[in-house]
Amino acid sequence: MPKNMLNRAHSRPLTKQRKIAAVAGVAAFGTAALALSATVGHDGTVTTGAPATTAQVSSGTVLKNVKGSVTGRLAADNVKLDTLAARKKAADAAAAAKADKAAAQKQAAARQAARQHSAVQAATRSTQRLDIQPVAAKTYANNLDGWIRQALSIMKAKGIPGSYSGLHRNIMRESSGNPLAINNWDINAVNGIPSKGLLQVIPPTFSAYHVPGTSWNIYDPVANITAAANYAAHRYGSIDNVNSAY
């Protein structure tokens, strides 16, 4: 090739295809060099390049030790996690048992309170039933005996002293047992306030010593007896102490 043509060829820039070809050639050259460096040893093995250095061997040992220590550390961590999990499980079980016991105690207390409440209500209802039981009115004979006995019952309730004999004795002396008896001849009659009824009570005395709950009719046997007995109690201490006109 002429010299000037060679110079022009060197002076032309590399195209993309030429760059790829050049790189391929370098790679092929390197592969060939690597193949040439491989040698056959005495035991028939193939050795390429220089033997492993002491540092390389040591680094393999270090990696093995690191792997062992990491495995041991992971095992220890697993034991710790298992221990913590067991402790948490035991604590949760104890808390649940405590909560169950508290709930049971609360339920027992509620049942006890309900029983007590029911007992109180039952007792209250029983008392109320007793309170509202109608008391049968006692009946008395419509005669002197019945009038005296009924008067004595009222006198006892009002705290007025007197006995059957004391009332009967004074009634027989004053009116002979006639509830409509009236005295039109004594001083009271002269003064316009004659004595009336079983125990011959004047109207002002009857009004002043009338016993609540009895009739306001001065001729009513029971009202007349109780008013006279009330007057005698205030003046003489009891109708039993009266043995004459009073």
Side-chain angles (χ1 to χ4, degrees), residues 19-39:
K19 289 179 180 180
I20 293 173
V23 171
V26 172
F29 178 79
T31 300
L34 180 60
L36 291 175
S37 65
T39 59

Side-chain angles (χ1 to χ4, degrees), residues 72-243:
R73 191 175 296 110
L74 289 175
D77 290 342
N78 288 335
V79 171
K80 291 181 179 178
L81 291 175
D82 291 341
T83 302
L84 291 175
R87 290 178 180 176
K88 185 177 185 303
K89 184 177 180 180
D92 291 343
K98 185 176 180 181
D100 292 342
K101 183 178 180 181
Q105 291 176 343
K106 186 176 181 180
Q107 291 177 352
R111 288 193 295 269
Q112 179 66 19
R115 286 193 294 268
Q116 292 177 348
H117 182 68
S118 298
V120 170
Q121 284 186 327
T124 301
R125 287 193 296 269
S126 178
T127 303
Q128 289 174 345
R129 284 194 296 270
L130 290 175
D131 290 342
I132 64 176
Q133 287 295 327
V135 178
K138 187 175 181 179
T139 59
Y140 298 91
N142 189 25
N143 55 31
L144 181 59
D145 179 73
W147 300 332
I148 293 175
R149 293 187 184 281
Q150 186 175 356
L152 284 172
S153 177
I154 296 172
M155 289 165 58
K156 182 179 180 181
K158 301 296 183 180
I160 301 171
S163 66
Y164 185 98
S165 61
L167 290 172
H168 187 271
R169 182 182 71 248
N170 282 282
I171 289 172
M172 294 308 294
R173 186 186 69 250
E174 294 292 335
S175 66
S176 299
N178 179 12
L180 299 178
I182 183 171
N183 187 327
N184 288 317
W185 54 269
D186 65 2
I187 188 62
N188 290 320
V190 172
N191 293 330
I193 49 172
S195 301
K196 300 177 181 180
L198 289 175
L199 284 170
Q200 292 293 286
V201 183
I202 61 176
T205 300
F206 179 80
S207 297
Y209 293 93
H210 173 264
V211 176
T214 63
S215 172
W216 280 96
N217 183 357
I218 196 171
Y219 290 108
D220 179 86
V222 175
N224 189 280
I225 293 172
T226 55
N230 193 23
Y231 164 73
H234 282 82
R235 185 165 183 179
Y236 304 104
S238 173
I239 192 67
D240 294 345
N241 298 328
V242 178
N243 294 299

